[in-house]
Structures are given as C-alpha cells and as structure tokens.
Amino acid sequence: MGIRHSIFGIASLFLFVICSVFFIKLEAVDKEQDSGILSQVGFEVAGEGSFYRIAVNKADKDDLYYAFLPSYTDVGRIRMSIHGGGKVNINGTDIVDGDYLDKFETNQEYSIVLYSPKNKITEQANIQFLVSANLPAVYITTKSGSMEYINSEKGNKESGFITITSENGKEVYSDKMDKLGGRGNTSWEVPKKSYSLETHSNAGLLGMKDAKKWILIANFYDGAIIRNKIGFQLADRTGLLYTPDSRFIDLYINEQYWGLYQLTERIEVNGNRIAINDGYLMEVDYPERAIYEKNVIYLENGQPIVIHNPKKITESQYLFLDSCYEEMLAALYAEDYVNPDTGKGIFEYLDKESFARMYLIEEIFEDLDMGVTSHYMYKGKEDESLLFDGPVWDLDNTMGRGFDLRNEFFAINNSLTSNQISRWYARLCGNEEFSQAVFTEWEKRVRPALSEIVDTEIDELIMTLGPSINMDKLCWPGKRSIFMPEASLETNVLFLESYLQERLEFLDTSFSYKKDETISFMKSQANTLPALERIEEFQLPDDTGAVSTPHSENGISDFIFSRHGIILFTLLVIILILLIAADLKRNRKIR
C-alpha cells in the first residue's frame, strides 16, 4: 500500500511538471499571437549609415495605428520590418519583411492587414504615417525590453542602451546606459511621465556640457509645451548662473515612440554644472517631502531647506549653515539691514545681483512653486562666501498657469504670510541699494531678453516643434492642462504670449516710467510685513506600515491566476480524481 501511494505521488508530481511546462509555453505563444500589429509591425528608417526600427503606436480609437517617424525620415526609404514572419498589405499592396515603402504619404490614413506565415489574416486596421521636423531623436533600449517595471514605481530603475541621432540622422552618441528611472512628484501621476537618465560615462549630449546625469522632462501639464524652455532661456540671458541647458528631442523607448521630451541638464554640483566644489547646494521644499531627507535646516517658521550637497553633512557643517541663515536673517530684518551682533550688512551675506535677477524672474513668471519647492540656492564652504539665489527649475507651473496677476506685483505680495522667500524679496526691495540693482538689471538684461522671447522666439519655437507636438498629442491623448483642459495648442500659446506681453508692459512701466511710485510701494511692503505664519509640521510614518512587494517578473501568482493556470489546475484535479478512483477500485478487487 505504501509503495502504491509513493508511486501515486511521484506520478502526480511528474504530471504537474509536464503540464506546467506545456502550458507556460502555450501561454507565451498565445501572448505573442494576441499582440498582432502592435508587436509585430515596425518600420526601419535610414539614418546616416544605420537603420533604426520604429514600432507602431496604438491610437486612441480601436482600428487605427500610428507610425511616428523621426525628422530625417525619407518616406521613399522606409523599410518594412515584421516580427514573426508573415506579411502586411497596406492600401492594397502586399509588403514582406525587408521591402521598401515608396507609395505612401504622411498624414494620410491607409488600410493595413497583417497576415500570419500561413497567409491567414491576423488583424485588420488603418495606419497613418507622421514625421517630426528638425529635432534630434533619442533611442533607449531597457535591459528588460519593457517599461512596465520602471513605470510601476518612481524609485524603480533599469540599465540599458542609448543612441542619439541629429535632426539629419547622423549618429552623434551611442553607449551603455547605467540607469533610467522615474522623476517628479505630482508630474509622476500623469500618463506621460518624466524620467531621470544616467549615461555610462561622462558625455556632452547634443552639444551640452559633459556629465552623466540628465533629465527627460515630459512637459505634460504645460498646454503650450515650452514654458520650461523659454524660462531657462530668459534666466540664462539675465546672467543667472548655472541655468540648465536643454534640447527638445523625439524620444523612442524599446523601438516605440514615447513623445516629445526636453532633454535637460540636471541640477547638481559638478564642474560642468554648479561648479562650487565642496560648497552647499540647497532647495526650499515642502515639509512633507523634507521629512524623508537626511540633511535639512528648518527656518524660524518651520520652512525646510534641504541640503543636496554635500550628500553626507557633518554636525559642524550643519551648525555652520544654520548660523549663516540666522545671521543673514538678523541683517535682513534689521531696520538698517545690518546685523546688530556682527556688524555685517545684508550684502555681506547675500549676493545682490543673483537675488535681484531671481526676484525679477519670479515677478515675470509668477511661479506657483516660488518659496515652496524647487527653489534653489547655493553657497561656498567658507564663512565669507555669499548665498546665491538660483538656479531656476521646474517652470511648467509658471507664466499664468496658476497665478495670473498681470498688472500686480507678485513676488513681494504680503498675502503669502508663510512664504519665507516672498518675505525676503519684500524686505530686500525696501533696501535702496537692492531696488536700484533691480532697476538696473531690468533695463540692462531682463527687459531686452523678455522682449525678444515675446516678439519672435515663442512663435519660432512652436513652428519648429509643430509636427512633434502633433505627434506627442496623438501619442498621449486627453486633457493636458489643469487650468485650460479643453484649450487647443494655439489657444495655449496665445494665452502664454498675451500673459508675457502684459507682464512685460506692467513691469516696464513700474521699473522705468513709474520708478518713484514703485520705490514707495516697495518700501511700504518691506516695512509692513504681517506676522510670519508657522507652516504645518510633518512626521515620518510609523515603521509598521505595509511593506511593498518586490518586483518580480513572470511571478508564479501571475501564472496561477492566468487562463492556462486555471486550466492546468482543473486538469490536475481531474487526473487526481481518476487516480484515486482507480486506486479505490483496485483495493476493492484485492479485498
């Protein structure tokens, strides 16, 4: 009896293994066959000496696919690429793998039929070819060949490979990629996500300075797409140091078009970025985010300033910075702007020009995040080093997107009673030396740069980006702006231009023609600050919280609850019942 049961158990285990292997293979075959046009059809586009495969994208409606092609595409030199054999028929023409397409135009819909290797129709739909214009293309291949893991959680990262071509198709960079991961806070919750990118070695991507760390900005919330770009341009022309450089690119990930992105330098201490050696890079940030940071200084009302560099701060460095802020604030709020204990004036603590330029930028942009988050400052490590304002970052929440006070002062608005930076600017503007620096910077640098952007550069930039913007909107359909959700690109751009034009006129009048009136207003704001409100405190959550499950590809639970897993389970139950019945029958005969 024991021997029979042992044989019975071994036979059951053997059957389980055989069935598992069979159904896992069947599951893989089914997935491959079910994917149809989306996974099998692609087009190889000729660059200078290389072909780059572009898979199709599924449109918002069921029966339409898009082929989003880079700007250097020669429609007469597109080569068909079909995974898994078979052929396609596009608009009545049979095309097999390796054939060239020479009878099709962009922005036209054509019928497409996918055939299996046995000449059976797999899928029927329509397809449209679209081509970008005048933009480089970035091709990323992740190690897994998928973005599922990276997109499932912001902290997830994968290595891979990256290739960059110019707008003319010339390969300008190709190397291993150490990391691709999620980026952003509220922007991480949208369908089109931003990413952080780390190359394998220092590289000057598309003419920018050598570094390893880069950002791929999605600009999803900005209905006009270009706020970050023109914001960086203006900040750079005002002379604000270390403004990030950037390039618009068409992004392809794992052969599929991912959208119009802004490849941007990352804010970091680096010889080619923020060159302050062993100095301090700091960011004003939300308290609910700062609690997760290791190095944080809290100002008098609980406003946190996160120290990003050095990454490991010593107690003496912490005390040094804390003392610097205390001494600076004592000078700032003194009636004569001189610290009564040290005898140092305010501009022995702050860099006057950087704060004047940043103040003007904040007045122009009306940044929703000013003094709340993404507001950077930096300082050298020595005691006599000044505190510098900037660089700018994260400008999609600006220029009428949030605040829209076209004919009012914004950055010295006393209603922002818990905002430390607004109070700093208000106090500084009451200082005659600072207000004169503001007027000089406006006249010499800021107004000419802003006028040029408003008069010509916005329209030129939109014209250049037009085809890619169209591709991006088709790739990521739906509402793109919280404040103007139903507005078209044209309406968004007109709004941006009108906002900046009116802001330019108001500030030019205030800083040029009504200077005396403005000085009087600034002094009033500086001398009538309301009581400083304390901001809400946060604490780290208990360690008893739920622990997230580690990422596991091809997990056993996925298979068990799949269609074939259920079939396998049912089959095993039937086999076991039959074996038990046979065993019982045999026992009765023996008796």
Side-chain angles (χ1 to χ4, degrees):
M1 192 76 170
I3 295 173
R4 280 207 315 273
H5 286 160
S6 297
I7 295 171
F8 173 73
I10 293 169
S12 299
L13 182 62
F14 179 76
L15 281 169
F16 179 84
V17 171
I18 294 296
C19 290
S20 296
V21 171
F22 173 78
F23 281 110
I24 287 171
K25 286 186 176 181
L26 187 59
E27 184 83 18
V29 169
D30 269 11
K31 285 181 179 177
E32 201 171 290
Q33 289 176 345
D34 289 344
S35 45
I37 290 173
L38 191 61
S39 75
Q40 292 180 260
V41 174
F43 302 92
E44 293 182 342
V45 177
E48 289 187 12
S50 299
F51 278 88
Y52 302 92
R53 188 180 191 276
I54 311 296
V56 297
N57 284 57
K58 187 75 173 65
D60 203 23
K61 59 181 185 178
D62 291 339
D63 62 345
L64 180 62
Y65 290 92
Y66 293 116
F68 294 118
L69 306 175
S71 62
Y72 51 85
T73 300
D74 180 350
V75 180
R77 292 199 66 206
I78 303 174
R79 195 164 63 187
M80 197 73 225
S81 175
I82 306 172
H83 287 161
K87 67 177 180 181
V88 296
N89 182 290
I90 301 180
N91 212 42
T93 302
D94 285 343
I95 307 169
V96 298
D97 186 64
D99 282 355
Y100 283 89
L101 282 66
D102 57 1
K103 298 179 181 179
F104 304 103
E105 298 180 0
T106 59
N107 303 308
Q108 299 286 332
E109 274 193 36
Y110 297 100
S111 64
I112 180 170
V113 182
L114 174 64
Y115 292 86
S116 71
K118 295 181 179 180
N119 209 35
K120 292 183 178 180
I121 293 177
T122 302
E123 186 178 355
Q124 300 181 71
N126 293 312
I127 191 166
Q128 186 174 348
F129 299 92
L130 296 99
V131 179
S132 177
N134 303 312
L135 288 186
V138 173
Y139 300 92
I140 290 174
T141 304
T142 61
K143 185 177 180 180
S144 68
S146 167
M147 286 293 286
E148 184 178 353
Y149 175 60
I150 292 173
N151 284 339
S152 65
E153 189 173 333
K154 189 173 68 172
N156 293 346
K157 297 178 175 64
E158 266 195 51
S159 60
F161 201 87
I162 178 172
T163 298
I164 301 178
T165 59
S166 70
E167 61 272 23
N168 299 318
K170 181 180 179 181
E171 191 172 292
V172 294
Y173 179 79
S174 187
D175 198 1
K176 290 184 290 186
M177 175 186 70
D178 282 355
K179 294 175 186 175
L180 182 70
R183 174 81 185 186
N185 293 297
T186 55
S187 61
W188 180 249
E189 305 305 320
V190 301
K192 183 189 178 189
K193 302 182 185 300
S194 296
Y195 300 100
S196 60
L197 167 69
E198 187 170 332
T199 55
H200 184 62
S201 55
N202 282 342
L205 303 184
L206 295 172
M208 293 180 277
K209 292 181 179 178
D210 285 4
K212 291 183 66 176
K213 296 180 179 179
W214 306 83
I215 305 297
L216 288 161
I217 301 176
N219 291 310
F220 185 85
Y221 278 135
D222 179 8
I225 306 294
I226 61 173
R227 279 178 169 83
N228 268 308
K229 182 65 174 178
I230 63 173
F232 292 161
Q233 288 177 341
L234 180 63
D236 185 55
R237 292 175 198 174
T238 64
L240 199 66
L241 296 179
Y242 307 126
T243 299
D245 200 359
S246 67
R247 302 286 187 274
F248 278 111
I249 55 99
D250 289 311
L251 179 63
Y252 296 86
I253 301 181
N254 298 321
E255 299 184 347
Q256 198 158 46
Y257 178 70
W258 218 255
L260 172 62
Y261 276 76
Q262 191 174 340
L263 177 63
T264 307
E265 294 178 339
R266 180 173 174 170
I267 290 182
E268 61 175 339
V269 175
N270 179 309
N272 286 331
R273 298 277 171 87
I274 301 177
I276 56 174
N277 297 320
D278 297 325
Y280 302 94
L281 173 63
M282 296 161 282
E283 177 193 2
V284 178
D285 206 354
Y286 289 118
E288 57 266 39
R289 294 178 191 165
I291 56 173
Y292 293 98
E293 301 287 346
K294 294 181 180 178
N295 306 319
V296 185
I297 290 175
Y298 288 91
L299 299 181
E300 56 184 317
N301 71 326
Q303 173 65 61
I305 296 181
V306 177
I307 304 163
H308 291 296
N309 192 79
K311 294 187 183 301
K312 293 183 179 179
I313 191 168
T314 64
E315 185 177 358
S316 63
Q317 288 173 320
Y318 175 89
L319 293 173
F320 165 70
L321 283 177
D322 193 45
S323 175
C324 287
Y325 277 107
E326 282 189 10
E327 288 187 21
M328 180 275 290
L329 290 171
L332 181 66
Y333 290 112
E335 186 175 351
D336 59 355
Y337 296 90
V338 174
N339 184 309
D341 297 322
T342 65
K344 290 183 178 181
I346 186 61
F347 299 118
E348 293 179 83
Y349 294 103
L350 303 180
D351 177 72
K352 180 173 58 182
E353 282 71 27
S354 71
F355 273 84
R357 291 164 187 168
M358 194 68 174
Y359 161 70
L360 285 169
I361 287 169
E362 297 291 8
E363 281 293 4
I364 294 165
F365 292 164
E366 296 182 4
D367 186 359
L368 196 67
D369 292 336
M370 183 199 76
V372 179
T373 184
S374 299
H375 192 114
Y376 286 88
M377 295 174 284
Y378 58 93
K379 174 183 173 60
K381 65 177 180 177
E382 295 83 9
D383 184 47
E384 64 273 13
S385 297
L386 299 177
L387 180 67
F388 287 77
D389 207 0
V392 296
W393 185 250
D394 197 11
L395 302 177
D396 56 348
N397 284 324
T398 65
M399 302 177 227
R401 191 190 169 275
F403 294 108
D404 190 358
L405 310 174
R406 303 186 186 206
N407 296 298
E408 301 176 41
F409 284 100
F410 162 75
I412 55 176
N413 188 331
N414 280 345
S415 68
L416 303 175
T417 52
S418 66
N419 190 309
Q420 287 272 6
I421 299 299
S422 176
R423 297 171 70 85
W424 293 8
Y425 289 147
R427 280 295 302 165
L428 286 169
C429 284
N431 178 285
E432 185 175 346
E433 188 178 346
F434 185 80
S435 62
Q436 288 302 319
V438 167
F439 300 145
T440 299
E441 293 295 329
W442 172 261
E443 194 73 28
K444 181 181 176 182
R445 295 173 179 267
V446 182
R447 183 183 63 182
L450 181 57
S451 295
E452 191 173 5
I453 287 171
V454 173
D455 292 344
T456 61
E457 294 184 14
I458 289 178
D459 287 338
E460 289 175 355
L461 190 53
I462 291 296
M463 187 175 295
T464 299
L465 297 176
S468 280
I469 292 175
N470 181 47
M471 286 166 42
D472 184 87
K473 292 179 74 173
L474 292 171
C475 181
W476 302 102
K479 297 178 180 180
R480 301 288 292 269
S481 171
I482 294 174
F483 297 93
M484 299 171 64
E486 306 299 334
S488 65
L489 172 67
E490 181 182 13
T491 301
N492 272 288
V493 173
L494 287 173
F495 174 88
L496 175 61
E497 288 179 320
S498 67
Y499 169 86
L500 288 176
Q501 182 62 50
E502 290 183 40
R503 201 74 185 130
L504 170 61
E505 292 170 0
F506 168 73
L507 293 174
D508 198 33
T509 299
S510 300
F511 296 144
S512 300
Y513 307 110
K514 295 184 178 180
K515 188 180 294 185
D516 292 340
E517 187 178 320
T518 299
I519 290 173
S520 176
F521 173 78
M522 286 178 165
K523 287 183 177 179
S524 172
Q525 294 295 94
N527 296 325
T528 58
L529 287 176
L532 179 60
E533 289 184 359
R534 185 164 189 86
I535 60 178
E536 184 179 358
E537 293 183 2
F538 287 82
Q539 294 182 343
L540 283 171
D542 294 336
D543 293 335
T544 56
V547 179
S548 59
T549 304
H551 169 65
S552 174
E553 295 188 24
N554 302 319
I556 188 67
S557 62
D558 292 340
F559 171 70
I560 290 172
F561 293 103
S562 69
R563 178 165 58 90
H564 289 309
I566 293 170
I567 294 172
L568 173 62
F569 177 77
T570 304
L571 183 60
L572 284 172
V573 169
I574 293 170
I575 291 171
L576 287 171
I577 290 172
L578 291 173
L579 287 172
I580 291 170
D583 193 51
L584 290 172
K585 186 176 180 181
R586 180 180 177 126
N587 286 339
R588 281 197 297 269
K589 285 183 178 180
I590 293 172
R591 289 174 187 169

